[in-house]
Amino acid sequence: MKDKAATDDKIMDAFAVLVNEQGYSATTTSQLAKKAGVNESTIFRHFGDKMGLANELVKRYRSLIVELMDDFVPTWELEDDLIEFSKRFRQQWPRQNVMLVMFNTTKDPKQKQQLRGMIEKIRNYGVEMIIDYFQKMQQAEKIRDDIDYRQLALNFVWLNVGQFWSSRFWDGNQRISDTEFYELSVRPFADLLTRRGVFDEHSQN
């Protein structure tokens, strides 16, 4: 069993590298066998086909992401918790990137639909976790009660996703550091959800 697990790990690591480098449709099982140092028949025996490989990759990444997020213990201090959420998002990005590449480079419509369903399970897990956090913060009267906490969670996810994409495609002069992102984006986001600052001023007018 240990030998099989070690072989599976080699195959999956090689599959992730090839998909990230050249896309899902362009990656062949013969290329994968060569990179992983196994026989092509071993790949078919262990995973069935390429969609089996894709499914296993998503399952592994989801397990790692669930472990990463489940380890998070809120302090219930909004700004600190949102920064910690963002840090954990950033730790996921190499894996998220492979999955996005896999989805975007799949030519077969049926396979693309299958991959969409797999990847959405991961995205939904993160969103639901943040929704739960914002709901509890709202119930504790730590954030404004006139905001839809579900939409709030989606907005926060998109804030982080937008930063992810910009970090990939902008040149060095336009990229911002992690610290700058927390200072310029996450902290103001947290501030707007409390009764401080501009909202207090409006309430007094």
Side-chain angles (χ1 to χ4, degrees):
M1 288 297 291
K2 289 183 178 179
D3 289 343
K4 180 182 183 302
T7 299
D8 287 354
D9 289 343
K10 284 199 304 183
I11 293 171
M12 294 313 303
D13 289 345
F15 182 62
V17 170
L18 287 174
V19 168
N20 201 40
E21 289 177 348
Q22 61 190 36
Y24 175 80
S25 291
T27 296
T28 66
T29 52
S30 60
Q31 291 173 328
L32 178 57
K34 182 177 180 180
K35 189 166 187 66
V38 300
N39 293 323
E40 194 171 4
S41 60
T42 301
I43 297 173
F44 295 130
R45 187 169 64 252
H46 288 205
F47 299 100
D49 55 18
K50 273 179 63 177
M51 186 50 64
L53 287 162
N55 186 45
E56 178 62 22
L57 187 65
V58 174
K59 282 171 57 179
R60 287 179 176 227
Y61 282 180
R62 184 180 187 277
S63 177
L64 290 170
I65 291 169
V66 168
E67 182 179 333
L68 180 65
M69 298 304 287
D70 279 353
D71 187 49
F72 172 65
V73 179
T75 66
W76 306 109
E77 293 296 330
L78 182 63
E79 190 175 284
D80 293 340
D81 287 343
L82 291 188
I83 289 175
E84 182 61 26
F85 271 130
S86 290
K87 287 179 178 179
R88 288 169 186 256
F89 278 133
R90 296 175 78 84
Q91 291 179 54
Q92 299 174 26
W93 286 354
R95 303 183 187 106
Q96 297 281 15
N97 186 64
V98 172
M99 289 187 288
L100 287 170
V101 170
M102 185 164 62
F103 176 75
N104 289 327
T105 57
T106 302
K107 296 179 181 179
D108 184 279
K110 186 176 180 180
Q111 290 183 339
K112 201 175 188 75
Q113 188 62 33
Q114 285 179 283
L115 286 173
R116 182 192 296 276
M118 297 177 199
I119 294 170
E120 281 182 350
K121 290 180 181 179
I122 296 176
R123 182 201 64 189
N124 292 341
Y125 173 80
V127 171
E128 289 299 323
M129 184 176 183
I130 298 172
I131 285 173
D132 180 68
Y133 172 78
F134 281 139
Q135 182 182 26
K136 289 176 180 175
M137 288 291 282
Q138 202 172 62
Q139 290 170 345
E141 299 184 346
K142 290 193 172 185
I143 62 175
R144 296 169 58 207
D145 60 7
D146 60 337
I147 297 178
D148 182 340
Y149 60 83
R150 291 183 177 276
Q151 185 60 53
L152 191 63
L154 289 171
N155 289 350
F156 182 69
V157 169
W158 280 112
L159 177 70
N160 284 274
V161 169
Q163 205 281 329
F164 162 58
W165 282 108
S166 65
S167 70
R168 289 189 65 223
F169 294 111
W170 285 358
D171 60 38
N173 294 329
Q174 294 174 304
R175 291 176 184 169
I176 63 174
S177 67
D178 290 2
T179 300
E180 288 174 319
F181 175 65
Y182 304 143
E183 290 293 332
L184 300 175
S185 298
V186 178
R187 291 189 192 280
F189 186 92
D191 189 65
L192 289 171
L193 304 185
T194 66
R195 300 182 184 278
R196 302 193 305 271
V198 65
F199 294 109
D200 291 332
E201 293 173 9
H202 285 314
S203 65
Q204 294 172 4
N205 293 335

